[in-house]
Amino acid sequence: MKSKNNLLLNLVLLILLTFFGELLARFLVDYKSDYYAVPKTVVGSKSNIHPFGSIPKNSNKHFDKEWDNPKSKKRYGYIGDSVVYGVGAGFPYRITEYLDIFEPNIEHINLSAALGDFISEEKSQKSLMDLIKNTKVDKIVYILNLTDLVEFAYLLNNDNAELNNNDVSIIPKNYVAEVKKFIFPLDIKLRGNSVLYTFFRYKIKNFLVTQFGLNFTGFRAIELEPVKFSRDIELAAKNFAKLINEKNDFLDICILMFPYEMQVSTKAKNKYRNIGIKFEDEFINFYTQKLFISKFKEFSKNDIYYLGNSFPESEVGEYFVYNLGDKIDFNHPNRKGHKLLAREIADRKLCF
């Protein structure tokens, strides 16, 4: 009986501590805990609603406005991850909408929803042919995010063995990804809804980034140390070139590499170093992009460029999300950042 009473008392104390911890977190936390959470929806609306803005879903089931019907000019489809989707910017403040303004002779459509079909080795050629048929695109512009490099480096096979003899090894198993799968049901329910849960998640994630040099994928952030992990970056380029080449028979593909904030702002560089983000000086000078592009061109004839030369010196967070959500984010451009990147693409006529 005594043990049951103790158990009940401990349970009540735990509930009370959790309740007061949640109240305290809601009072003290100064960022939007639901910034990266599952988007909200409104009855009667097809838009995803985020703290940074809404993003519509059109009748073609892509996160974009309705496309011209009938098609009246060349149509370029932009494929990529959350940056292309518009995390940190929202609609109509993404590169695709700004490019419609800066280069109006082309219809620029957002195909972020098609990323999985595009990069998956399991998807058949027919599924990609169907994508081209349904979207009627004349060209695919692939927006390559630096966080993607390590994942392409893991598309290993025996042909790549000669490039994988680096003395420095990237993490052989992504334990963080395994944990993220395990806590996914909790994330769906609690991330953004519970400030306390989101706060502890944020602290653990920051610890892994600053102390173990990981990026949000759970793999080693090889992109931040291009000298140390040069072989792995070259391997990623070779694997990516192979992936792109397999689609060249029926797709016109051009690749654009986006920058991180510390590459485009000295103040941001100093800030991120001060909070414990580790990166080499060579990374600041775009050596990751230059190395990747150099190796990619050995295996593919597709056009590939890197962006980031258009940014004026700025305070941290002026063109990127930085600290608005529950992670230190030097990866996602905000609305100003999307506009500058789109302006650079248009001015340099990249992929046009």
Side-chain angles (χ1 to χ4, degrees):
M1 186 68 179
K2 186 177 179 180
S3 61
K4 287 184 178 179
N5 288 336
N6 287 336
L7 180 62
L8 182 61
L9 178 61
N10 288 332
L11 182 60
V12 171
L13 286 173
L14 179 62
I15 292 172
L16 287 173
L17 285 172
T18 302
F19 175 74
F20 285 113
E22 181 69 27
L23 284 179
L24 189 63
R26 287 174 183 263
F27 179 74
L28 295 177
V29 166
D30 61 353
Y31 55 80
K32 296 181 184 298
S33 61
D34 60 344
Y35 199 85
Y36 303 100
V38 175
K40 296 178 174 61
T41 56
V42 175
V43 176
S45 172
K46 293 182 180 180
S47 294
N48 286 344
I49 301 172
H50 303 270
F52 48 80
S54 298
I55 296 178
K57 194 170 188 178
N58 64 21
S59 56
N60 298 89
K61 298 182 179 180
H62 287 275
F63 297 111
D64 205 0
K65 63 183 182 302
E66 294 297 334
W67 304 331
D68 291 348
N69 188 19
K71 177 182 170 184
S72 59
K73 50 190 172 184
K74 284 186 177 181
R75 178 177 290 169
Y76 287 8
Y78 292 75
I79 285 183
D81 59 12
S82 55
V83 170
V84 177
Y85 171 75
V87 170
F91 179 89
Y93 306 101
R94 307 172 296 178
I95 57 165
T96 42
E97 288 83 57
Y98 283 122
L99 282 170
D100 276 335
I101 298 171
F102 299 148
E103 188 58 52
N105 294 323
I106 298 171
E107 184 182 10
H108 308 269
I109 67 172
N110 196 299
L111 298 182
S112 55
L115 177 63
D117 289 341
F118 186 83
I119 66 174
S120 174
E121 292 186 319
E122 299 173 359
K123 294 290 183 179
S124 66
Q125 179 172 316
K126 183 180 181 302
S127 67
L128 290 174
M129 292 290 287
D130 289 341
L131 174 68
I132 303 307
K133 179 181 178 182
N134 295 333
T135 59
K136 299 178 182 178
V137 293
D138 298 289
K139 178 179 285 189
I140 290 291
V141 181
Y142 188 100
I143 305 298
L144 182 60
N145 202 339
L146 293 180
T147 57
D148 300 333
L149 301 194
V150 71
E151 297 188 73
F152 287 121
Y154 269 89
L155 298 173
L156 303 178
N157 56 50
N158 292 333
D159 294 335
N160 294 327
E162 77 279 2
L163 284 175
N164 199 32
N165 60 2
N166 199 355
D167 291 334
V168 181
S169 298
I170 47 184
I171 295 174
K173 183 175 176 60
N174 191 339
Y175 295 104
V176 175
E178 296 300 317
V179 173
K180 287 173 73 173
K181 287 179 184 178
F182 179 75
I183 67 171
F184 181 72
L186 281 177
D187 270 0
I188 292 294
K189 296 291 184 182
L190 298 179
R191 189 182 186 190
N193 294 317
S194 168
V195 179
L196 183 64
Y197 172 83
T198 308
F199 173 77
F200 280 116
R201 191 183 188 280
Y202 163 72
K203 287 297 183 180
I204 292 170
K205 184 163 47 180
N206 259 23
F207 177 78
L208 293 174
V209 170
T210 57
Q211 300 303 313
F212 292 94
L214 309 184
N215 65 27
F216 84 95
T217 65
F219 287 119
R220 186 66 181 261
I222 62 173
E223 70 276 12
L224 296 176
E225 300 178 276
V227 176
K228 184 177 183 180
F229 294 109
S230 60
R231 296 267 182 180
D232 298 301
I233 291 170
E234 289 179 335
L235 179 57
K238 181 179 179 181
N239 285 330
F240 183 68
K242 179 175 179 290
L243 179 74
I244 294 297
N245 291 344
E246 290 171 350
K247 299 166 175 56
N248 278 341
D249 290 341
F250 53 95
L251 281 174
D252 183 5
I253 306 170
C254 182
I255 302 101
L256 298 176
M257 298 184 74
F258 273 24
Y260 280 175
E261 186 176 17
M262 61 277 277
Q263 292 183 305
V264 301
S265 165
T266 301
K267 292 180 180 178
K269 177 193 73 173
N270 295 335
K271 180 65 176 180
Y272 289 123
R273 277 205 167 127
N274 288 339
I275 62 178
I277 308 297
K278 299 177 178 66
F279 48 89
E280 296 171 344
D281 289 336
E282 290 81 1
F283 173 74
I284 300 304
N285 296 320
F286 296 94
Y287 183 57
T288 298
Q289 288 94 325
K290 293 172 183 176
L291 179 63
F292 184 93
I293 289 173
S294 176
K295 181 56 66 172
F296 176 88
K297 287 183 175 180
E298 292 182 20
F299 299 97
S300 177
K301 294 181 179 179
N302 291 78
D303 290 331
I304 181 170
Y305 310 94
Y306 71 89
L307 303 175
N309 293 317
S310 61
F311 287 79
E313 181 55 46
S314 60
E315 298 291 338
V316 61
E318 185 170 349
Y319 295 104
F320 285 76
V321 171
Y322 175 42
N323 63 352
L324 298 182
D326 63 314
K327 66 177 178 180
I328 299 300
D329 193 342
F330 42 76
N331 175 33
H332 291 100
N334 60 22
R335 294 176 179 185
K336 285 185 176 181
H338 274 265
K339 187 175 183 178
L340 268 183
L341 289 165
R343 180 82 268 175
E344 182 177 349
I345 294 169
D347 287 348
R348 294 173 60 189
K349 301 293 182 184
L350 301 181
C351 299
F352 295 163

